[in-house]
Amino acid sequence: MQTILDCFASLAPKIQELIIFGETSYTSHTNQSGDIQLALDIQSDVFIQEQLSALPSIKAIFSEEKEDIFTTNPNGKYLVAYDPIDGSSLIGGNLSVGTIFGIYEESFEGKNLKASGYILYGPRLEMVVAKDKDSLPLHSRYNPKTKKWDIQGELTLENQGNINATGGSQKFWSKEHKAMVEHFFSLGYRLRYSGGMVPDLHQILIKKGGIFSYPSTQDHPNGKLRKLFEVFPFAFVFECAGGEAIDGERRLLDLPISHSHETSACYFGSKNEIELIKKGFSYARK
Ligand code: FDP
């Protein structure tokens, strides 16, 4: 397991170089979710695949840019799902993007997620890793001078925060979702939404609380964010930090999965915010 985490840590500065110096124009290809791929999405996917494939402990890998699960070593123990560049539509605006990964055993299912984490390519290069259910996620920052990762500390969520981040086109929100968003604002919550899952969720973790929601909408009835390499990995990080992650009602990590690019509505937050959403649940689903 540690070799896989070390692999992502050593890949991070190289992917950051690709973001800074690489080809960030759009290609003529779309991925399985229908997103037009940037040259950078494809390059970083190949790059991560090459490095992970060399690790004997990995049995198979899967990513946002792949149609299917790719077996690397039939005798390996772990299955790794990753989104090489999450939020790549933000690159043109020079906003922060990230890499998300989940390490599974036996099958790509939330209940089999053993560790997860993300890399944040912002003004600084940072990484958060949740290694097991019984310890807090560890936050590190890369020092380009020493070429080493410096530990910043463990991430813990308090019971309540004051950030309200919510995705999707507002014209496609349900009236119940609109009411929930307004309710949080009426309680004094402030909007913080860049449109990148990694910086938006990292911000809540760093500020020790708040709510991020990507609901079911008219145009995305099952939400937009993908279970294997976005929703489950972040659900694991939030739970390890003392928060919760639900689809509006059910714990995200208990959800079944019917195909590898499947999406889910999702709500990540500290305990009080998630409690409120559970109470008013009927609004959140179709
Ligand atoms: P992007 O389309 O830019 O890749 O899953 C992808 C994602 O970004 C997330 O990073 C982000 O949270 C979400 O989509 C934003 O979607 P909306 O623009 O619909 O809010």
Side-chain angles (χ1 to χ4, degrees), residues 30 51 73 84 86 88 127 138 156 159 201 219 221 268 276:
T30 49
Q51 304 295 314
N73 169 22
D86 187 77
S88 55
M127 184 165 170
L138 197 63
T156 327
N159 283 341
L201 287 171
D219 56 338
F268 303 88
L276 205 147

Side-chain angles (χ1 to χ4, degrees), residues 190-207:
R190 280 176 288 170
L191 177 66
R192 291 289 182 274
Y193 188 75
S194 74
M197 190 180 190
V198 177
D200 287 334
L201 287 171
H202 184 64
Q203 161 102 321
I204 291 173
L205 288 160
I206 289 293
K207 302 280 185 191

Side-chain angles (χ1 to χ4, degrees), residues 50-77:
E50 280 169 4
Q51 304 295 314
L52 293 181
S53 305
L55 301 182
S57 61
I58 298 181
K59 183 177 188 170
I61 59 176
F62 177 65
S63 85
E64 182 187 10
E65 312 308 333
K66 299 191 188 316
E67 273 182 41
D68 290 313
I69 293 164
F70 177 75
T71 302
T72 54
N73 169 22
N75 300 319
K77 181 174 176 186

Side-chain angles (χ1 to χ4, degrees), residues 47 66 84 99 131 141 151 156 166 183 198 220 233 268:
F47 194 34
K66 299 191 188 316
T99 296
K131 270 196 205 174
R141 183 177 297 160
I151 291 174
T156 327
T166 182
H183 183 64
V198 177
H220 291 110
F268 303 88

